[in-house]
């Protein structure tokens, strides 16, 4: 049975079963075998909480797709949409628009030094496409190096740059992408025994890849500042400075993908700020306006912007700098400033999420490593701490993925909705989550982890 929602004409499902059935009849979902999914209908949301049509409440420990930095239905963002909708809903990108100008000005005011201009897109993948295009045209070179484990989006170029299984279904992709292994001290591809050694060995590997590809052919090195979905891989000390140096020595553009980790997620405005390194291009999306209206973009150096002073930039989008999306970005950044949201995220990491997750690891042998910063953390789950055998194999599905599915099931049953990816449970709540809510969600995860411990072998 469905009833008519009083505020609009979209029928609201009264139960999970109804909502899921209706959805499955008409909607085709991302990345999924359509008959094997049961999308949960969301009936309501507020701050760090959402609830389903059956009334079950969940703490949103994934910020939806790690985009909801200011939480659900933030009153200032909702009002900004209403105000802008009354004023001007849409305008072609060739006109100037005050919401777009102010969004760009505010973003630049918080960006790493030297990033002076913004090109707006509708999301992350388009930001990556344009950053690659800019780097290629600016340098006159064609190759782009991108890391295994990186995810950069689902358009052709962004997916070709992606270094994990989501790329496989779209191969062969666009030419000119060269892959390398980035740092991952806990599971080092270089047999490193310390983070410092990992930095040294990865930089040596990169130097060799550049040499074999021909430095004069390499336009850019693309990387997630902190690899997000594939493990919250925080770069070891000295790594980003070393990468900056390598790029400078060879005239290679450094492209930081901060689609997931920008705008306070890691406890700084941009993740690169932790290491005081400024890239030549920085891609953002998600947290720029919490995804209330789709928005992404590329921040570029003055030198790159100047490349297109007297020759046209060969790229554009009908909705580049959409006023509704930009108005939410403006209000979001002002809210960050007024409420010290970046400071809140940093303190949440230092005082609650980090320490509490480390205590949880002491109680659960299946937690091999805890890593993260700010409001983004991963538990790398293992079957054995000495061998570090992952709780489930790489890219596990079906029966092989059962331990992680059981663990997620236990989390949801308790009332918390974290991210699960391969053998990791990841925690990414809204940056405005209260310490009490964070502790409540962590207690639920603590309890659920007994499921993972069952698979532990001495
Ligand atoms: C690091 C990173 N880059 C790019 C993207 C693609 O962004 P979008 O889905 O908005 O195109 C994502 C999406 O999750 C991401 O995590």
């Amino acid at each position: 049975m469905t009833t008519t929602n009083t505020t609009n004409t979209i029928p609201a499902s009264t139960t999970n079963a109804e909502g899921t059935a209706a959805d499955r009849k008409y909607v085709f979902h991302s990345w999924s075998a359509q008959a094997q999914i049961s999308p949960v209908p969301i009936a309501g949301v507020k701050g760090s909480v959402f609830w389903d049509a059956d009334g079950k409440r969940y703490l949103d420990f994934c910020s939806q797709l790690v985009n909801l930095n200011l939480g659900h239905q933030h009153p200032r963002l909702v009002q900004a949409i209403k105000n802008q909708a009354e004023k001007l809903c849409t305008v072609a990108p060739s006109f100037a628009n005050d919401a777009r100008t102010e969004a760009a000005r505010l973003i630049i005011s918080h960006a790493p030094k030297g990033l002076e201009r913004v090109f707006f897109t509708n999301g992350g993948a388009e930001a990556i496409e344009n950053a690659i295009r800019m780097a290629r045209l600016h340098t006159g070179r064609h190759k782009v190096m991108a890391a295994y484990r990186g995810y950069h989006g689902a358009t052709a170029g962004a997916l070709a740059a992606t270094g994990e299984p989501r790329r496989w279904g779209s191969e062969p992709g666009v030419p000119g992408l060269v892959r390398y292994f980035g740092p991952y001290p806990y599971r080092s591809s270089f047999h490193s025994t310390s983070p410092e050694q990992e930095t040294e060995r990865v930089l040596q590997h990169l130097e060799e890849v550049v040499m074999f590809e021909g430095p004069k052919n390499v336009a850019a090195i693309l990387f997630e500042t902190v690899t997000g979905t594939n493990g919250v891989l925080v770069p070891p000390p000295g790594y980003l400075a070393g990468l900056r140096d390598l790029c400078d020595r060879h005239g290679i553009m450094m492209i930081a993908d901060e689609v997931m980790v920008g705008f306070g997620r890691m406890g700084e405005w941009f993740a690169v700020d932790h290491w005081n390194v400024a890239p030549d291009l920085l891609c953002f999306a998600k947290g720029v306006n919490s995804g209330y209206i789709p928005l992404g973009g590329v921040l570029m150096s003055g030198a790159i912007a100047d490349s297109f002073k007297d020759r046209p930039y060969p790229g554009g989008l009908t909705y580049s700098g959409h006023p509704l999306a930009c108005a939410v970005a403006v209000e979001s950044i002002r809210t960050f400033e007024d409420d010290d949201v970046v400071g809140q995220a940093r303190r949440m990491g230092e005082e609650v999420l980090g320490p509490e997750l480390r205590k949880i690891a002491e109680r659960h042998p299946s937690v091999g490593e805890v890593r993260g910063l700010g409001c983004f953390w991963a538990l790398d789950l293992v079957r054995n701490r000495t061998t570090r055998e992952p709780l489930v194999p790489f890219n596990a599905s079906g029966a092989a993925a059962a331990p992680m599915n059981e663990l997620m099931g236990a989390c949801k049953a308790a009332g918390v909705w974290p991210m699960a990816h391969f053998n990791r449970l990841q925690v990414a709540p809204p940056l405005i989550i209260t310490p009490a809510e964070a502790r409540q969600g962590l207690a639920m995860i603590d309890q659920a982890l007994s499921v993972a411990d069952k698979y532990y072998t001495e």
Side-chain angles (χ1 to χ4, degrees), residues 266-304:
M266 310 310 291
E268 292 284 353
W269 275 91
F270 292 96
V272 285
D273 298 340
H274 275 288
W275 299 277
N276 274 322
V277 169
D280 301 291
L281 292 146
L282 186 150
C283 299
F284 63 85
K286 297 187 187 260
V288 61
N289 67 358
S290 289
Y292 280 37
I293 308 267
L295 183 68
V298 185
L299 272 156
M300 71 197 85
S301 68
I304 292 175

Short mmCIF file of all heavy atoms in Angstrom, two decimals, residues 266-304:
data_model
loop_
_atom_site.label_atom_id
_atom_site.label_comp_id
_atom_site.label_asym_id
_atom_site.label_seq_id
_atom_site.Cartn_x
_atom_site.Cartn_y
_atom_site.Cartn_z
N MET A 266 39.44 15.29 6.49
CA MET A 266 40.60 14.76 7.21
C MET A 266 41.06 15.71 8.35
O MET A 266 42.14 15.56 8.89
CB MET A 266 41.78 14.51 6.26
CG MET A 266 41.46 13.70 5.02
SD MET A 266 40.56 12.15 5.32
CE MET A 266 41.79 11.13 6.14
N GLY A 267 40.22 16.71 8.66
CA GLY A 267 40.57 17.61 9.75
C GLY A 267 41.42 18.80 9.31
O GLY A 267 41.98 19.51 10.15
N GLU A 268 41.54 19.01 8.02
CA GLU A 268 42.13 20.23 7.44
C GLU A 268 41.20 20.61 6.30
O GLU A 268 40.45 19.77 5.79
CB GLU A 268 43.53 19.95 6.87
CG GLU A 268 44.61 19.62 7.90
CD GLU A 268 45.12 20.84 8.66
OE1 GLU A 268 44.75 21.97 8.31
OE2 GLU A 268 45.88 20.63 9.63
N TRP A 269 41.30 21.86 5.83
CA TRP A 269 40.43 22.23 4.70
C TRP A 269 40.65 21.25 3.55
O TRP A 269 39.71 20.72 2.98
CB TRP A 269 40.70 23.67 4.25
CG TRP A 269 39.93 24.64 5.07
CD1 TRP A 269 40.35 25.26 6.22
CD2 TRP A 269 38.58 25.08 4.84
NE1 TRP A 269 39.34 26.06 6.70
CE2 TRP A 269 38.26 25.98 5.88
CE3 TRP A 269 37.63 24.81 3.86
CZ2 TRP A 269 37.00 26.60 5.96
CZ3 TRP A 269 36.38 25.43 3.94
CH2 TRP A 269 36.08 26.30 4.98
N PHE A 270 41.91 21.05 3.19
CA PHE A 270 42.25 20.05 2.17
C PHE A 270 43.26 19.09 2.80
O PHE A 270 44.07 19.50 3.64
CB PHE A 270 42.80 20.73 0.91
CG PHE A 270 41.74 21.53 0.20
CD1 PHE A 270 41.62 22.90 0.43
CD2 PHE A 270 40.82 20.91 -0.64
CE1 PHE A 270 40.60 23.63 -0.18
CE2 PHE A 270 39.80 21.65 -1.25
CZ PHE A 270 39.68 23.00 -1.02
N ALA A 271 43.21 17.83 2.38
CA ALA A 271 44.08 16.82 3.02
C ALA A 271 45.55 17.18 2.83
O ALA A 271 46.36 16.96 3.74
CB ALA A 271 43.76 15.44 2.46
N VAL A 272 45.92 17.74 1.66
CA VAL A 272 47.34 18.08 1.43
C VAL A 272 47.87 19.05 2.49
O VAL A 272 49.08 19.11 2.72
CB VAL A 272 47.60 18.68 0.02
CG1 VAL A 272 47.56 17.61 -1.06
CG2 VAL A 272 46.66 19.83 -0.28
N ASP A 273 46.97 19.82 3.14
CA ASP A 273 47.41 20.79 4.16
C ASP A 273 48.11 20.10 5.32
O ASP A 273 48.93 20.72 6.02
CB ASP A 273 46.21 21.59 4.69
CG ASP A 273 45.53 22.40 3.60
OD1 ASP A 273 46.16 22.67 2.56
OD2 ASP A 273 44.35 22.77 3.79
N HIS A 274 47.81 18.82 5.56
CA HIS A 274 48.50 18.10 6.64
C HIS A 274 50.00 18.06 6.39
O HIS A 274 50.79 17.93 7.32
CB HIS A 274 48.00 16.65 6.73
CG HIS A 274 46.75 16.50 7.54
ND1 HIS A 274 46.73 16.62 8.91
CD2 HIS A 274 45.48 16.23 7.17
CE1 HIS A 274 45.50 16.42 9.36
NE2 HIS A 274 44.72 16.19 8.32
N TRP A 275 50.39 18.07 5.12
CA TRP A 275 51.81 17.92 4.78
C TRP A 275 52.38 19.17 4.11
O TRP A 275 53.51 19.14 3.62
CB TRP A 275 51.99 16.68 3.89
CG TRP A 275 51.54 15.45 4.61
CD1 TRP A 275 52.28 14.72 5.50
CD2 TRP A 275 50.24 14.83 4.58
NE1 TRP A 275 51.52 13.69 6.02
CE2 TRP A 275 50.26 13.72 5.47
CE3 TRP A 275 49.06 15.10 3.89
CZ2 TRP A 275 49.16 12.90 5.68
CZ3 TRP A 275 47.95 14.29 4.11
CH2 TRP A 275 48.02 13.20 4.98
N ASN A 276 51.58 20.24 4.09
CA ASN A 276 52.03 21.52 3.51
C ASN A 276 52.55 21.38 2.10
O ASN A 276 53.60 21.95 1.77
CB ASN A 276 53.14 22.12 4.39
CG ASN A 276 52.53 22.93 5.50
OD1 ASN A 276 51.52 23.61 5.28
ND2 ASN A 276 53.12 22.82 6.68
N VAL A 277 51.86 20.61 1.30
CA VAL A 277 52.28 20.41 -0.09
C VAL A 277 51.16 20.97 -0.98
O VAL A 277 49.99 20.70 -0.74
CB VAL A 277 52.51 18.92 -0.38
CG1 VAL A 277 52.69 18.67 -1.87
CG2 VAL A 277 53.73 18.42 0.38
N ALA A 278 51.54 21.76 -1.98
CA ALA A 278 50.54 22.30 -2.90
C ALA A 278 50.66 21.61 -4.25
O ALA A 278 51.72 21.64 -4.87
CB ALA A 278 50.73 23.80 -3.05
N PRO A 279 49.59 20.98 -4.73
CA PRO A 279 49.62 20.37 -6.07
C PRO A 279 49.44 21.45 -7.14
O PRO A 279 49.15 22.61 -6.81
CB PRO A 279 48.42 19.43 -6.03
CG PRO A 279 47.46 20.08 -5.09
CD PRO A 279 48.29 20.81 -4.06
N ASP A 280 49.55 21.07 -8.40
CA ASP A 280 49.29 22.01 -9.51
C ASP A 280 47.81 22.05 -9.84
O ASP A 280 47.30 23.06 -10.32
CB ASP A 280 50.08 21.58 -10.75
CG ASP A 280 51.57 21.53 -10.46
OD1 ASP A 280 52.15 22.60 -10.27
OD2 ASP A 280 52.13 20.41 -10.36
N LEU A 281 47.15 20.91 -9.60
CA LEU A 281 45.71 20.80 -9.84
C LEU A 281 45.11 20.03 -8.68
O LEU A 281 45.71 19.07 -8.19
CB LEU A 281 45.45 20.04 -11.14
CG LEU A 281 45.89 20.75 -12.43
CD1 LEU A 281 46.39 19.74 -13.46
CD2 LEU A 281 44.75 21.57 -13.02
N LEU A 282 43.94 20.46 -8.22
CA LEU A 282 43.28 19.74 -7.13
C LEU A 282 41.80 19.56 -7.51
O LEU A 282 41.12 20.53 -7.83
CB LEU A 282 43.43 20.53 -5.83
CG LEU A 282 42.91 19.84 -4.56
CD1 LEU A 282 43.73 20.30 -3.33
CD2 LEU A 282 41.43 20.07 -4.30
N CYS A 283 41.36 18.31 -7.49
CA CYS A 283 39.97 18.00 -7.84
C CYS A 283 39.14 17.87 -6.57
O CYS A 283 39.58 17.23 -5.61
CB CYS A 283 39.90 16.67 -8.60
SG CYS A 283 40.82 16.74 -10.13
N PHE A 284 37.96 18.48 -6.59
CA PHE A 284 37.07 18.38 -5.43
C PHE A 284 35.65 18.08 -5.89
O PHE A 284 35.33 18.20 -7.08
CB PHE A 284 37.12 19.68 -4.60
CG PHE A 284 36.62 20.89 -5.34
CD1 PHE A 284 35.27 21.20 -5.38
CD2 PHE A 284 37.50 21.72 -6.03
CE1 PHE A 284 34.80 22.31 -6.08
CE2 PHE A 284 37.04 22.84 -6.74
CZ PHE A 284 35.68 23.12 -6.76
N ALA A 285 34.79 17.70 -4.97
CA ALA A 285 33.35 17.48 -5.23
C ALA A 285 32.70 17.24 -3.86
O ALA A 285 33.06 17.94 -2.90
CB ALA A 285 33.13 16.30 -6.19
N LYS A 286 31.84 16.27 -3.76
CA LYS A 286 31.25 15.80 -2.49
C LYS A 286 31.13 16.88 -1.40
O LYS A 286 30.17 17.61 -1.33
CB LYS A 286 32.05 14.60 -1.99
CG LYS A 286 31.99 13.40 -2.97
CD LYS A 286 32.64 12.18 -2.40
CE LYS A 286 32.76 11.03 -3.39
NZ LYS A 286 31.75 10.01 -3.26
N GLY A 287 32.14 16.96 -0.52
CA GLY A 287 32.07 17.81 0.67
C GLY A 287 32.02 19.30 0.38
O GLY A 287 31.78 20.10 1.29
N VAL A 288 32.24 19.72 -0.87
CA VAL A 288 32.22 21.15 -1.18
C VAL A 288 30.87 21.76 -0.82
O VAL A 288 30.80 22.91 -0.39
CB VAL A 288 32.57 21.42 -2.66
CG1 VAL A 288 31.59 20.77 -3.63
CG2 VAL A 288 32.65 22.92 -2.95
N ASN A 289 29.79 20.98 -0.98
CA ASN A 289 28.45 21.48 -0.57
C ASN A 289 27.61 20.34 -0.01
O ASN A 289 26.39 20.38 -0.05
CB ASN A 289 27.75 22.19 -1.73
CG ASN A 289 27.38 21.23 -2.85
OD1 ASN A 289 27.69 20.03 -2.77
ND2 ASN A 289 26.70 21.72 -3.86
N SER A 290 28.32 19.31 0.49
CA SER A 290 27.68 18.12 1.08
C SER A 290 26.78 17.38 0.09
O SER A 290 25.97 16.56 0.50
CB SER A 290 26.90 18.48 2.36
OG SER A 290 27.81 18.79 3.39
N GLY A 291 26.93 17.69 -1.19
CA GLY A 291 26.17 16.95 -2.19
C GLY A 291 24.69 17.28 -2.22
O GLY A 291 23.90 16.54 -2.82
N TYR A 292 24.30 18.40 -1.62
CA TYR A 292 22.87 18.75 -1.62
C TYR A 292 22.39 19.01 -3.05
O TYR A 292 21.23 18.75 -3.38
CB TYR A 292 22.61 19.97 -0.73
CG TYR A 292 22.54 19.66 0.75
CD1 TYR A 292 23.37 18.71 1.36
CD2 TYR A 292 21.63 20.33 1.57
CE1 TYR A 292 23.30 18.45 2.70
CE2 TYR A 292 21.56 20.07 2.93
CZ TYR A 292 22.40 19.13 3.50
OH TYR A 292 22.33 18.87 4.84
N ILE A 293 23.26 19.60 -3.86
CA ILE A 293 23.05 19.72 -5.31
C ILE A 293 24.39 19.32 -5.92
O ILE A 293 25.43 19.81 -5.45
CB ILE A 293 22.75 21.18 -5.73
CG1 ILE A 293 21.61 21.79 -4.89
CG2 ILE A 293 22.49 21.27 -7.23
CD1 ILE A 293 20.22 21.70 -5.44
N PRO A 294 24.42 18.45 -6.92
CA PRO A 294 25.72 17.96 -7.41
C PRO A 294 26.66 19.09 -7.84
O PRO A 294 26.26 20.01 -8.54
CB PRO A 294 25.33 17.11 -8.63
CG PRO A 294 23.92 16.66 -8.34
CD PRO A 294 23.29 17.81 -7.61
N LEU A 295 27.91 19.00 -7.35
CA LEU A 295 28.92 20.00 -7.70
C LEU A 295 30.31 19.39 -7.52
O LEU A 295 30.56 18.64 -6.59
CB LEU A 295 28.80 21.23 -6.78
CG LEU A 295 29.75 22.39 -7.09
CD1 LEU A 295 29.40 23.06 -8.41
CD2 LEU A 295 29.73 23.45 -5.98
N GLY A 296 31.18 19.73 -8.45
CA GLY A 296 32.60 19.36 -8.33
C GLY A 296 33.40 20.45 -9.00
O GLY A 296 32.84 21.44 -9.47
N GLY A 297 34.70 20.23 -9.05
CA GLY A 297 35.51 21.24 -9.73
C GLY A 297 36.99 20.93 -9.68
O GLY A 297 37.43 19.98 -9.03
N VAL A 298 37.73 21.76 -10.41
CA VAL A 298 39.19 21.65 -10.45
C VAL A 298 39.76 22.99 -10.03
O VAL A 298 39.42 24.03 -10.61
CB VAL A 298 39.70 21.37 -11.89
CG1 VAL A 298 41.21 21.13 -11.88
CG2 VAL A 298 38.98 20.20 -12.52
N LEU A 299 40.62 22.96 -9.03
CA LEU A 299 41.41 24.14 -8.67
C LEU A 299 42.71 24.04 -9.45
O LEU A 299 43.34 22.98 -9.47
CB LEU A 299 41.73 24.11 -7.18
CG LEU A 299 40.72 24.74 -6.22
CD1 LEU A 299 40.88 24.12 -4.84
CD2 LEU A 299 40.93 26.25 -6.16
N MET A 300 43.15 25.15 -10.07
CA MET A 300 44.38 25.06 -10.88
C MET A 300 45.35 26.19 -10.52
O MET A 300 44.93 27.24 -10.03
CB MET A 300 44.02 25.12 -12.37
CG MET A 300 43.55 26.48 -12.80
SD MET A 300 42.68 26.45 -14.39
CE MET A 300 41.01 26.04 -13.87
N SER A 301 46.62 25.94 -10.81
CA SER A 301 47.65 26.95 -10.56
C SER A 301 47.47 28.11 -11.53
O SER A 301 46.86 27.95 -12.60
CB SER A 301 49.03 26.34 -10.74
OG SER A 301 49.23 26.03 -12.11
N GLY A 302 48.06 29.24 -11.17
CA GLY A 302 48.02 30.40 -12.06
C GLY A 302 48.66 30.07 -13.40
O GLY A 302 48.17 30.50 -14.46
N ALA A 303 49.75 29.29 -13.37
CA ALA A 303 50.45 28.97 -14.62
C ALA A 303 49.55 28.16 -15.55
O ALA A 303 49.53 28.39 -16.76
CB ALA A 303 51.73 28.18 -14.30
N ILE A 304 48.79 27.22 -14.99
CA ILE A 304 47.90 26.41 -15.83
C ILE A 304 46.77 27.29 -16.37
O ILE A 304 46.45 27.24 -17.56
CB ILE A 304 47.38 25.18 -15.06
CG1 ILE A 304 48.56 24.23 -14.80
CG2 ILE A 304 46.27 24.47 -15.84
CD1 ILE A 304 48.24 23.02 -13.95
#
